[in-house]
Amino acid sequence: MTEQLLQKYPIISEQITRERLRVVLGTFEKILRSETPGEVVEFGCYIGTTSLFLRRLLDAYDQQRSLHVYDSFEGLPPKSREDNSGAGEQFKVGELSVSKKLLLLGFKKAGLWPPVVHKGWFSKLTPNDLPEQIAFAFLDGDFYDSILDSLKLVWPKLAPNAIVCVDDFGRE
């Protein structure tokens, strides 16, 4: 199903490659086929490229799970010392800012059920901001602290056999 969706629909931003999206969606399909209980969460949704594809896969598998997306909608936070490397030098504070309205407009244009949107910095979220049980988590926080903050929130809520997929791997 992943390949069919990737051939049929456009990738609406340059923040994820087709190859990385294929990995995320293929991994998510394992959850859908295994019937692992729980909801779907995405930390760092930007304009919604991955979110739209996650929803399409949920619909293709006729799954009534909720898709929860988390973003500051204020762009990138400051880098920490762990983020000092040659990779991602172009990423500056506030870059990749997009409105919640624009994200939801993408779902409306695609004719898809909108996600549950949670606005805020990951470091300010609490466990109450997450579903009780998570089957699949996609963490795309771009920077070390954002990934760590989201992982700390997600980890205690993972269902047995749940999968956490982290973007931005391999950056040196």
Coordinates of all heavy atoms in Angstrom, one line a residue, residues 31-71:
I31 N 2.7 -2.0 11.8 CA 1.8 -1.8 13.0 C 0.4 -2.1 12.5 O -0.4 -2.8 13.2 CB 1.9 -0.4 13.5 CG1 3.3 -0.3 14.3 CG2 0.8 0.0 14.5 CD1 3.5 -1.2 15.5
L32 N 0.0 -1.6 11.4 CA -1.4 -1.7 10.9 C -1.7 -3.2 10.7 O -2.8 -3.6 10.9 CB -1.6 -0.9 9.7 CG -1.5 0.6 9.9 CD1 -1.6 1.4 8.6 CD2 -2.5 1.2 10.9
R33 N -0.8 -3.9 10.1 CA -1.0 -5.3 9.8 C -1.0 -6.2 11.1 O -1.7 -7.2 11.2 CB 0.0 -5.9 8.8 CG -0.2 -5.4 7.4 CD 0.6 -6.1 6.4 NE 2.1 -6.0 6.7 CZ 2.9 -5.1 6.1 NH1 2.4 -4.3 5.3 NH2 4.2 -5.1 6.4
S34 N -0.3 -5.8 12.1 CA -0.2 -6.5 13.3 C -1.3 -6.3 14.3 O -1.5 -7.0 15.3 CB 1.1 -6.2 14.1 OG 1.1 -4.9 14.6
E35 N -2.1 -5.2 14.0 CA -3.2 -4.8 14.9 C -2.7 -4.5 16.3 O -3.5 -4.7 17.3 CB -4.3 -5.9 14.9 CG -4.9 -6.2 13.5 CD -6.0 -7.2 13.5 OE1 -6.4 -7.6 14.6 OE2 -6.3 -7.6 12.4
T36 N -1.6 -3.9 16.4 CA -1.1 -3.4 17.7 C -2.0 -2.4 18.2 O -2.4 -1.4 17.4 CB 0.3 -2.9 17.6 OG1 1.2 -3.9 17.1 CG2 0.9 -2.3 18.9
P37 N -2.5 -2.4 19.4 CA -3.5 -1.4 19.9 C -2.8 -0.1 20.2 O -1.6 0.0 20.4 CB -4.0 -2.0 21.2 CG -2.8 -2.9 21.7 CD -2.2 -3.4 20.5
G38 N -3.6 1.0 20.1 CA -3.1 2.3 20.4 C -3.3 3.3 19.3 O -3.7 2.9 18.2
E39 N -3.0 4.5 19.6 CA -3.1 5.6 18.6 C -1.8 5.9 17.9 O -0.8 5.3 18.2 CB -3.6 6.9 19.4 CG -4.9 6.6 20.2 CD -6.1 6.1 19.4 OE1 -6.2 6.5 18.2 OE2 -6.8 5.3 19.9
V40 N -1.8 6.9 17.0 CA -0.7 7.2 16.2 C -0.3 8.7 16.6 O -1.2 9.5 16.6 CB -1.0 7.1 14.7 CG1 0.2 7.5 13.9 CG2 -1.5 5.7 14.4
V41 N 1.0 8.9 16.9 CA 1.5 10.2 17.2 C 2.6 10.6 16.3 O 3.4 9.8 15.9 CB 1.9 10.4 18.7 CG1 0.7 10.1 19.6 CG2 3.0 9.5 19.0
E42 N 2.7 11.9 16.0 CA 3.8 12.5 15.2 C 4.2 13.7 15.9 O 3.5 14.7 16.1 CB 3.3 12.8 13.8 CG 4.4 13.4 12.9 CD 4.0 13.8 11.5 OE1 2.8 13.8 11.2 OE2 4.9 14.2 10.8
F43 N 5.5 13.8 16.3 CA 6.1 15.0 16.9 C 6.9 15.7 15.9 O 7.9 15.2 15.4 CB 7.0 14.6 18.1 CG 6.2 14.3 19.3 CD1 5.5 13.0 19.5 CD2 6.1 15.2 20.4 CE1 4.8 12.8 20.6 CE2 5.3 14.9 21.5 CZ 4.7 13.7 21.6
G44 N 6.5 16.9 15.5 CA 7.1 17.7 14.5 C 6.5 17.4 13.1 O 7.0 16.7 12.3
C45 N 5.3 18.1 12.9 CA 4.6 17.8 11.7 C 4.8 18.8 10.6 O 4.5 18.5 9.4 CB 3.1 17.7 12.0 SG 2.4 19.2 12.7
Y46 N 5.3 20.0 10.9 CA 5.5 21.0 9.9 C 4.3 21.3 9.1 O 3.2 21.5 9.7 CB 6.8 20.7 9.1 CG 7.2 21.8 8.1 CD1 7.3 23.1 8.4 CD2 7.5 21.4 6.8 CE1 7.6 24.1 7.5 CE2 7.8 22.4 5.8 CZ 7.9 23.7 6.2 OH 8.3 24.7 5.3
I47 N 4.4 21.1 7.8 CA 3.2 21.4 6.9 C 2.3 20.2 6.8 O 1.2 20.3 6.2 CB 3.7 22.0 5.6 CG1 2.6 22.7 4.9 CG2 4.3 20.9 4.7 CD1 3.0 23.6 3.7
G48 N 2.8 19.0 7.2 CA 1.9 17.9 7.2 C 2.2 16.8 6.1 O 1.3 15.9 5.9
T49 N 3.3 16.8 5.5 CA 3.6 15.8 4.5 C 3.4 14.4 5.1 O 2.6 13.6 4.6 CB 5.0 15.9 3.9 OG1 5.1 17.2 3.3 CG2 5.3 14.8 2.9
T50 N 4.1 14.1 6.1 CA 4.1 12.7 6.7 C 2.7 12.5 7.3 O 2.1 11.4 7.2 CB 5.2 12.6 7.8 OG1 6.4 12.9 7.2 CG2 5.2 11.1 8.3
S51 N 2.1 13.5 7.9 CA 0.8 13.4 8.6 C -0.2 13.0 7.6 O -1.1 12.1 7.8 CB 0.4 14.7 9.2 OG 1.4 15.3 10.0
L52 N -0.2 13.6 6.4 CA -1.2 13.2 5.3 C -1.0 11.8 4.9 O -2.0 11.1 4.8 CB -1.0 14.1 4.1 CG -1.4 15.6 4.3 CD1 -0.8 16.4 3.2 CD2 -2.9 15.7 4.3
F53 N 0.2 11.3 4.8 CA 0.4 9.9 4.4 C 0.1 8.9 5.5 O -0.5 7.9 5.2 CB 1.9 9.7 3.9 CG 2.1 10.1 2.5 CD1 2.6 11.4 2.2 CD2 1.8 9.3 1.4 CE1 2.8 11.8 0.8 CE2 2.0 9.7 0.1 CZ 2.4 10.9 -0.2
L54 N 0.3 9.3 6.7 CA -0.1 8.4 7.8 C -1.6 8.3 7.9 O -2.1 7.2 8.0 CB 0.4 9.0 9.2 CG 1.9 9.0 9.4 CD1 2.2 9.7 10.7 CD2 2.4 7.5 9.5
R55 N -2.3 9.4 7.6 CA -3.8 9.3 7.6 C -4.3 8.5 6.4 O -5.2 7.7 6.6 CB -4.4 10.8 7.5 CG -5.9 10.8 7.5 CD -6.5 10.6 8.8 NE -7.0 9.3 9.0 CZ -7.4 8.8 10.2 NH1 -7.2 9.4 11.3 NH2 -7.8 7.6 10.2
R56 N -3.6 8.7 5.3 CA -4.0 7.9 4.1 C -3.8 6.4 4.4 O -4.7 5.6 3.9 CB -3.2 8.3 2.9 CG -3.6 9.6 2.3 CD -2.7 10.1 1.2 NE -3.2 11.4 0.7 CZ -2.4 12.4 0.6 NH1 -1.1 12.4 0.9 NH2 -2.8 13.6 0.1
L57 N -2.8 6.0 5.0 CA -2.6 4.6 5.4 C -3.6 4.1 6.4 O -4.1 3.0 6.2 CB -1.2 4.4 5.9 CG -0.1 3.9 4.9 CD1 1.2 3.7 5.6 CD2 -0.5 2.6 4.2
L58 N -3.9 4.9 7.4 CA -5.0 4.5 8.3 C -6.3 4.3 7.6 O -7.0 3.3 7.8 CB -5.1 5.6 9.4 CG -4.1 5.7 10.5 CD1 -4.2 7.0 11.2 CD2 -4.3 4.5 11.4
D59 N -6.6 5.2 6.7 CA -7.8 5.0 5.9 C -7.8 3.8 5.0 O -8.8 3.1 4.8 CB -8.1 6.3 5.1 CG -8.5 7.5 5.9 OD1 -8.7 7.3 7.2 OD2 -8.5 8.6 5.4
A60 N -6.7 3.6 4.3 CA -6.5 2.4 3.4 C -6.7 1.1 4.2 O -7.2 0.1 3.6 CB -5.2 2.4 2.8
Y61 N -6.3 1.1 5.4 CA -6.5 -0.1 6.3 C -7.8 -0.1 7.1 O -8.0 -0.9 7.9 CB -5.3 -0.3 7.2 CG -4.1 -1.0 6.5 CD1 -3.2 -0.2 5.8 CD2 -3.9 -2.3 6.7 CE1 -2.1 -0.9 5.2 CE2 -2.8 -3.0 6.0 CZ -1.9 -2.2 5.3 OH -0.9 -2.8 4.7
D62 N -8.6 0.9 6.8 CA -9.9 1.1 7.4 C -9.8 1.1 9.0 O -10.5 0.5 9.7 CB -10.9 0.0 7.0 CG -12.3 0.4 7.3 OD1 -12.6 1.6 7.3 OD2 -13.2 -0.5 7.4
Q63 N -8.8 1.9 9.4 CA -8.5 2.0 10.9 C -9.1 3.3 11.4 O -8.9 4.3 10.8 CB -7.0 1.9 11.1 CG -6.3 0.7 10.6 CD -5.9 -0.3 11.7 OE1 -5.7 0.1 12.8 NE2 -5.8 -1.5 11.3
Q64 N -9.8 3.1 12.5 CA -10.4 4.3 13.1 C -9.6 4.9 14.2 O -10.1 5.7 15.0 CB -11.8 3.9 13.7 CG -12.7 3.2 12.7 CD -13.0 4.2 11.5 OE1 -13.3 5.3 11.7 NE2 -12.8 3.6 10.3
R65 N -8.3 4.7 14.2 CA -7.4 5.3 15.2 C -7.3 6.8 15.0 O -7.3 7.2 13.8 CB -6.0 4.7 15.0 CG -5.9 3.2 15.2 CD -4.5 2.7 14.8 NE -4.4 1.3 14.6 CZ -3.7 0.5 15.3 NH1 -3.0 0.9 16.3 NH2 -3.6 -0.8 15.0
S66 N -7.0 7.4 16.0 CA -6.7 8.9 16.0 C -5.2 9.1 15.6 O -4.4 8.4 16.0 CB -7.0 9.5 17.3 OG -8.3 9.4 17.7
L67 N -5.0 10.2 14.8 CA -3.7 10.6 14.5 C -3.5 11.9 15.3 O -4.3 12.9 15.1 CB -3.6 10.9 13.0 CG -2.3 11.6 12.5 CD1 -1.0 10.8 12.9 CD2 -2.4 11.9 11.0
H68 N -2.5 11.9 16.2 CA -2.2 13.1 17.0 C -0.9 13.7 16.5 O 0.1 13.0 16.3 CB -2.0 12.7 18.5 CG -3.3 12.3 19.1 ND1 -4.0 13.0 20.0 CD2 -3.9 11.1 19.0 CE1 -5.0 12.4 20.4 NE2 -5.0 11.2 19.9
V69 N -0.9 15.0 16.2 CA 0.3 15.7 15.7 C 0.6 16.8 16.7 O -0.2 17.4 17.3 CB 0.1 16.3 14.3 CG1 -0.1 15.1 13.3 CG2 -0.9 17.3 14.2
Y70 N 1.9 17.0 16.9 CA 2.5 17.9 17.9 C 3.5 18.8 17.2 O 4.4 18.3 16.5 CB 3.2 17.1 19.0 CG 2.3 16.2 19.8 CD1 2.0 14.9 19.3 CD2 1.7 16.6 21.0 CE1 1.1 14.1 19.9 CE2 0.8 15.7 21.7 CZ 0.5 14.5 21.1 OH -0.3 13.6 21.8
D71 N 3.4 20.1 17.4 CA 4.3 21.0 16.8 C 4.2 22.4 17.6 O 3.1 22.7 18.1 CB 4.0 21.2 15.3 CG 5.2 21.7 14.6 OD1 5.7 22.8 14.7 OD2 5.7 20.9 13.7

